[in-house]
Amino acid sequence: MALSIEKIEALAPDQSSLAAARKLLKPGGWPTLADDGAGLIWGECQGSGATPYRVAVTEVDAGYKCTCPSRKFPCKHALALMWLRTEGSVPFVAGVPPQWVEDWLGRRRGPVAAPKPDPDAPPRDAPSIAALADEPQPEANDPAMTARAEAQRERNRLQREALIADGLDALDRWIADQLERGLAGFDQRAQIECATLARRLVDAKAGGLANRVEQLPALLFASDEAARGRVAAQQLGLLHLLASAYRRQDRLDAALRADVRQMIGWTVARDALLADADALRIDGQWIVLATVEEVQPDRLRRIETWLALRDAGAALRFAVLIDFVPVSTGIGGNAFAPGEVIDATLAFYPSAVPLRALIAAQRDSRIADGDWAPPAGGLAGAWAGYQAALAARPWLGDWPIAARDVTIRAAGGRLFAVADRPDGVGEDLALPLAAQDAELAAPLLDAGTIALFGLWDGQMLKPRFATTPLGRWTLG
Amino acid sequence: MTPGTIIAGFMLGTARQLVRLEGPIADGIAATDPDAALRLLALAGQALRFERPIAPARFDVPAPVADPRRIVSPRARRLLRRLVTGKGAPVDDAAARAAAQAMARLRLRPHPFDLPRLGGFVRKFGEVLGPAALAWGQRGEAGAATGGAGYFEADELGPDSWTLATPARKAGYIAVQRATDPAGARALVEAQLPVERADVRVRLIEALAIGLGPDDRRLLESLEGDRAPRVKEAAERLLARLPGTVAAAARVGEIVSRIATGKAGLLRRRTTLALQLPANIRDHQAPPWVAGLFSTVGLGQIAAALGLDPSDMIDAAKEDRNLLLGLAFAATVERRFDMLRAICVQHVPDAWSYFLARGLDAFGLVGTDDRMAWAAAALPPAAWPSLAGSWQAETLHEQLDGPLPVEAARGLIDSGLWSQGGMGDWVAPIAALVPIALLPALRARLATLPAEVSGRALLLADLLVELDDPATEPATEDVRA
């Protein structure tokens, strides 16, 4: 049975879903639209996040799958894909279903039928595409209203700056208090102390700092007990550095200023970044090296997609796409898998060391053929790159380390990424791997010399991707 | 003052230890600066972030584990991970066991990068998944071999190395040797028994069931004085199978003493046989008691003692279900699978369940050939309606240590089991019992079931077909489940 308008109307959970789907019918919002010629269609729809949503539909029974966090089934993306297919005005490229479609088909439990109507439910109007034509259009912008809104935004901004200034003063007093009491036992009191300070910083509208403070206890307990005092000192010192830099932001260059504001909690909207003509844009084929998920204290699931520019020559170029999804939606996982290559233009958020980006335009995505390896330079070169980035951006977070000619070695129950020096020439450099990754990384001990990608957090390397004689290894 | 010493100075607290503004890091920080401590902390902490981590003085150098097996294909990797690591997926049910058995038969091993994720599956089946998987599964366990020298394939065992293997592998090695060199295998067992613990001694003795002959009598009789009761019982079971031994004669005598002979019929008087149960054995307790009595003698020995032909003896017992069960046990001990089939087809189609309750090992069915021959005889098409639940299918698969013979499996696929409701968790263990040649027929049956019932079985079928395909290349690419 082919898709039809009637079928789409029957599947739509309500009229607003159809209205939302209609807004997605622009071909420009779909970097991928494809079919396999046997009743299976799929596409990628650019939403408000950094990564596009992936949608697949089986035409014969209208089964669907989408990676968006919507709680409506089917979501607007699935409806829009069916709608595009039914209208036939936009071409679908013939192709072989990618792995994420095959994985979904392999897990499918059978045909999906339109939900049966509840006989006890009050009658409601059936969703109708024809009814969308009667919806009123939004009014054109009123200059006076715009001016009033702008003025209000400025008042809000000034008020927030004042609150932040108070919050930073409270932060410094808190740090001084911790120093007075001594950092030796800070890990024992960190849970309560940090929770109290985090609430204060949230009230001060410094959400970025609040998250950082609230994650500090977990960071301490992930460290060896003997190292916790040192880790605490570094993290508290970093907090003061951020506060000081923020107070002096007018003396910083634009990129560093943007950095420190983002660290405190100011955000740059996606539309604003895409509209910024001065934003760094890099076009090319980007390979996905890692996806990382973490639930933040503010109950948002932070999803990071780490990319490297393929064939970048001697210079490595990395990027990270960051999406936030409310934990309450129950949605997890990432649209992309390690090894995928995205042909896209990335726009980078302003920073002294541009790393965070979003997809400005995407042309294609496919599985990488062949292995990925960073340019020659080894672990020492990667370490030098880290030091240079740290010098440029003192509050550097997780930093991508990529190197060839690495071996994984064990010592004292820990794993290390070691520069392979068969002739004994070169400098000793051994980066300890994160203990929580040791189990999954242990098979690399027997993999010989590898090309490794990982995230260095200042204390440990979190291995995420490796090209080895045994094939590709990923942590996820 | 190095960054490290500055940081260390903050451990006790500025209330107890004044901040020392010394060294290059403290340059530019005035002593009167109210934020002097904060600034010093920030600068010292930042300086530490530039320092290289300290490398260990020495790294471990473990001996690698050599594993000659091919790694499974990328598709098989994905299917295997879904089978044993999916949400709620068991790692040790019949489906997982079937996957491990197929990999053992085809000399395939899991991809090394999957070993951590396959955790429970590797620990459960490491012995048949290759040396690398076995080594991984035993990491950290007491008694695990240290380094690669302790791990090797089962067929790499030889007279000098077999004693280094696990108990199951030692018994397997002896079983294989007994098929071609019974005397040599017996000599190996005799030399090894004094240094093994009781459970291993039992396994080695049971392995002598293959190729059992009069030459084994001396060794078995010497074990009647073993300090472990289990070992003595195992030796007695084998002795009872050897004609002319005291133990065999005693057991046959006990059985015959409990069989009452009679006559039935008016015109043509035919002999009848009935088994007299002890007074304290109730009817539902009879099968285990019968198994204990009949599992150590052969059918021919009983028939000879009664002066009857084995076929006539079975016919004479046709009114006594317990006696027929006993004769089925005795037929198996003697490897008279033709007689066993006759009993199961004509009289006791559910006899197989009583074999499982006792355990096939108890009847000397140690090798694969014996187990397959038993299955072909004891599982005619009429046997399947008596399948009581998924646990029986699981037990059957575990004791057979592999799929059914083709004919028995065909009877299973064609049986009326599929049309009865509530198959639920039966389906996966039944799928594990089907040999690969009949997987297409199994798929046709599974297609009639709801997806949530047939999912795991279909996944297993896909995996077995993929493993068996010689055209697929071994995996060198990473896969995500």
Side-chain angles (χ1 to χ4, degrees):
Chain A
M1 184 200 317
L3 293 171
S4 64
I5 292 296
E6 292 75 24
K7 182 79 174 176
I8 296 169
E9 288 176 333
L11 283 171
D14 50 38
Q15 186 70 16
S16 63
S17 294
L18 283 180
R22 185 172 69 166
K23 293 177 187 167
L24 299 177
L25 295 182
K26 303 185 189 98
W30 293 83
T32 303
L33 281 171
D35 69 39
D36 70 342
L40 178 63
I41 59 175
W42 65 91
E44 290 173 314
C45 178
Q46 187 59 61
S48 56
T51 53
Y53 299 124
R54 289 180 157 172
V55 198
V57 168
T58 50
E59 292 182 277
V60 65
D61 59 2
Y64 51 84
K65 164 69 180 173
C66 181
T67 58
C68 78
S70 170
R71 285 191 170 274
K72 287 191 176 180
F73 303 103
C75 65
K76 60 185 180 182
H77 308 101
L79 291 171
L81 182 65
M82 295 181 203
W83 200 336
L84 286 169
R85 183 66 164 180
T86 304
E87 280 190 341
S89 58
V90 179
F92 281 63
V93 175
V96 175
Q99 192 58 49
W100 58 270
V101 176
E102 293 283 2
D103 288 346
W104 168 61
L105 290 175
R107 289 191 296 269
R108 275 200 78 195
R109 290 190 164 202
V112 171
K116 293 193 171 79
D118 180 357
D120 298 325
R124 64 177 181 95
D125 294 330
S128 164
I129 288 176
L132 293 176
D134 299 331
E135 287 191 351
Q137 300 297 315
E139 293 177 5
N141 286 341
D142 176 356
M145 193 186 307
T146 303
R148 283 197 294 275
E150 183 59 42
Q152 182 59 41
R153 276 193 286 274
E154 180 62 13
R155 282 193 293 275
N156 291 344
R157 186 189 70 79
L158 291 172
Q159 184 185 42
R160 185 177 177 185
E161 292 282 9
L163 287 171
I164 289 175
D166 288 343
L168 296 183
D169 290 342
L171 170 66
D172 278 349
R173 286 194 296 275
W174 180 88
I175 297 175
D177 180 49
Q178 302 306 324
L179 293 183
E180 190 174 292
R181 294 162 72 179
L183 297 184
F186 177 73
D187 59 335
Q188 301 303 314
R189 62 183 190 263
Q191 195 73 36
I192 296 174
E193 295 281 340
C194 291
T196 305
L197 176 64
R199 282 194 295 272
R200 178 69 184 85
L201 291 172
V202 167
D203 292 342
K205 307 292 186 195
L209 272 184
N211 272 340
R212 204 177 182 92
V213 167
E214 203 156 5
Q215 289 169 342
L216 184 50
L219 185 64
L220 292 175
F221 284 104
S223 310
D224 292 338
E225 191 171 349
R228 286 178 194 164
R230 172 180 162 136
V231 171
Q234 284 183 296
Q235 293 299 317
L236 296 186
L238 203 52
L239 288 170
H240 174 69
L241 188 63
L242 279 167
S244 297
Y246 192 85
R247 292 191 187 98
R248 297 172 176 76
Q249 60 180 287
D250 293 337
R251 295 184 234 169
L252 303 177
D253 65 37
L256 207 55
R257 180 167 183 262
D259 255 335
V260 74
R261 290 182 68 78
Q262 185 263 323
M263 294 300 292
I264 295 301
W266 294 93
T267 57
V268 175
R270 173 190 166 81
D271 291 342
L273 178 62
L274 291 177
D276 182 0
D278 294 330
L280 173 65
R281 279 174 167 75
I282 300 180
D283 191 61
Q285 298 205 340
W286 298 85
I287 183 168
V288 178
L289 295 178
T291 59
V292 180
E293 277 189 48
E294 176 185 69
V295 176
Q296 297 185 153
D298 56 7
R299 305 302 294 161
L300 285 177
R301 189 186 305 274
R302 178 189 172 101
I303 304 172
E304 298 178 354
T305 307
W306 288 85
L307 311 170
L309 190 63
R310 285 187 102 188
D311 305 322
L316 273 176
R317 185 85 220 185
F318 293 105
V320 60
L321 312 177
I322 303 179
D323 290 283
F324 296 94
V325 177
V327 171
S328 58
T329 66
I331 303 293
N334 194 288
F336 296 113
E340 284 198 65
V341 174
I342 311 169
D343 188 358
T345 302
L346 299 190
F348 287 79
Y349 287 80
S351 170
V353 181
L355 189 61
R356 187 184 174 190
L358 51 78
I359 297 178
Q362 183 181 344
R363 290 166 287 281
D364 189 19
S365 73
R366 60 183 168 82
I367 296 292
D369 43 0
D371 300 325
W372 172 83
L379 211 53
W383 180 258
Y386 160 72
Q387 290 181 313
L390 184 60
R393 188 173 188 257
W395 39 82
L396 199 68
D398 282 356
W399 180 253
I401 294 276
R404 292 192 199 191
D405 302 325
V406 174
T407 56
I408 303 300
R409 309 285 303 270
R414 298 286 304 269
L415 297 183
F416 295 81
V418 181
D420 192 25
R421 301 187 300 141
D423 301 327
V425 176
E427 298 178 50
D428 274 330
L429 180 58
L431 301 182
L433 300 193
Q436 67 263 29
D437 299 331
E439 176 82 1
L440 291 177
L444 291 173
L445 286 165
D446 298 325
T449 302
I450 65 177
L452 179 68
F453 169 82
L455 301 174
W456 175 252
D457 68 357
Q459 308 287 336
M460 297 174 292
L461 182 68
K462 293 174 272 194
R464 289 292 178 264
F465 185 103
T467 300
T468 82
L470 291 174
R472 183 181 297 155
W473 173 92
T474 59
L475 192 87
Chain B
M1 290 277 282
T2 65
T5 53
I6 293 173
I7 296 295
F10 283 112
M11 294 300 121
L12 282 179
T14 54
R16 289 195 217 176
Q17 184 172 303
L18 289 177
V19 170
R20 291 166 56 192
L21 296 173
E22 299 169 6
I25 289 181
D27 268 354
I29 303 177
T32 53
D33 186 344
D35 290 337
L38 294 178
R39 295 179 65 186
L40 188 65
L41 175 75
L43 290 170
Q46 195 65 6
L48 280 178
R49 296 178 75 193
F50 283 88
E51 290 187 359
R52 283 188 174 199
I54 299 172
R58 191 182 304 115
F59 290 106
D60 302 341
V61 187
V65 177
D67 196 328
R69 293 191 181 195
R70 286 173 64 227
I71 297 173
V72 295
S73 68
R75 184 158 188 267
R77 280 183 75 187
R78 277 191 291 275
L79 293 170
L80 180 63
R81 282 169 60 163
R82 277 178 52 201
L83 187 73
V84 299
T85 68
K87 196 173 178 182
V91 301
D92 57 358
D93 69 341
R97 188 180 310 109
Q101 288 165 347
M103 292 171 69
R105 175 173 55 83
L106 296 163
R107 300 281 298 215
L108 295 170
R109 61 177 168 120
H111 194 288
F113 295 164
D114 289 340
L115 292 177
R117 296 184 181 94
L118 298 177
F121 174 74
V122 169
R123 280 191 294 277
K124 177 73 179 175
F125 301 110
E127 291 222 19
V128 301
L129 294 175
L134 179 62
W136 179 270
Q138 291 186 342
R139 285 182 325 145
E141 284 182 11
T146 52
Y151 296 99
F152 32 78
E153 280 283 23
D155 55 9
E156 292 173 349
L157 292 175
D160 298 327
S161 63
W162 76 281
T163 58
L164 300 174
T166 60
R169 284 187 161 189
K170 286 177 188 170
Y173 175 75
I174 294 300
V176 168
Q177 296 304 308
R178 284 285 287 184
T180 55
D181 181 13
R186 182 179 61 247
L188 292 175
V189 169
E190 190 168 10
Q192 191 62 16
L193 282 176
V195 300
E196 294 284 4
R197 57 179 195 267
D199 62 313
V200 181
R201 294 204 299 275
V202 169
R203 283 184 181 233
L204 294 177
I205 292 166
E206 286 175 345
L208 297 177
I210 295 176
L212 186 68
D215 292 343
D216 298 315
R217 182 173 167 174
R218 181 193 59 79
L219 171 61
L220 293 172
E221 285 177 342
S222 75
L223 293 171
E224 285 176 329
D226 192 283
R227 58 187 180 277
R230 293 180 283 166
V231 173
K232 285 194 288 190
E233 285 167 13
E236 281 171 7
R237 277 199 294 272
L238 291 182
L239 275 171
R241 287 171 53 186
L242 291 175
T245 62
V246 171
R251 190 55 66 96
V252 171
E254 185 182 354
I255 289 173
V256 168
S257 72
R258 289 194 171 275
I259 295 177
T261 308
K263 292 289 183 188
L266 291 172
L267 293 177
R268 189 158 167 266
R269 304 283 280 168
R270 59 181 176 81
T271 302
T272 62
L273 299 173
L275 182 64
Q276 294 168 331
L277 301 177
N280 60 341
I281 297 293
R282 301 204 184 268
D283 205 44
H284 70 277
Q285 297 169 313
W289 179 84
V290 169
L293 189 62
F294 283 80
S295 64
T296 57
V297 295
L299 188 74
Q301 293 170 283
I302 302 172
L306 291 172
L308 294 170
D309 177 79
S311 296
D312 293 339
M313 179 174 63
I314 292 170
D315 189 60
K318 67 183 177 185
E319 303 297 332
D320 189 324
R321 179 182 158 87
N322 289 324
L323 180 54
L324 285 168
L325 205 54
L327 295 180
F329 295 147
T332 301
V333 169
E334 197 176 295
R335 304 299 190 268
R336 287 299 303 272
F337 294 115
D338 56 334
M339 293 286 108
L340 172 63
R341 187 172 178 88
I343 295 171
C344 293
V345 170
Q346 296 167 21
H347 304 292
V348 193
D350 64 339
W352 63 275
S353 63
Y354 298 104
F355 280 92
L356 291 192
R358 186 80 179 169
L360 298 182
D361 284 351
F363 303 96
L365 298 174
V366 175
T368 303
D369 290 346
D370 278 348
R371 290 171 189 259
M372 289 297 105
W374 171 86
L379 294 166
W384 297 116
S386 59
L387 189 67
S390 63
W391 61 274
Q392 270 196 332
E394 291 269 357
T395 304
L396 180 59
H397 185 264
E398 184 174 4
Q399 294 200 21
L400 283 181
D401 202 26
L404 292 164
V406 171
E407 188 189 335
R410 204 186 305 279
L412 174 59
I413 293 173
D414 294 340
S415 73
L417 274 179
W418 304 92
S419 55
Q420 68 188 39
M423 288 218 56
D425 52 358
W426 295 36
V427 178
I430 285 176
L433 286 167
V434 175
I436 196 163
L438 294 183
L439 284 181
L442 175 69
R443 283 184 191 277
R445 277 295 192 184
L446 294 176
T448 66
L449 300 176
E452 58 268 21
V453 171
S454 63
R456 188 166 175 76
L458 284 170
L459 179 56
L460 173 63
D462 288 344
L463 174 60
L464 294 177
V465 168
E466 177 66 23
L467 290 173
D468 203 57
D469 185 353
T472 57
E473 290 296 317
T476 55
E477 295 301 320
D478 179 44
V479 292
R480 284 183 88 194

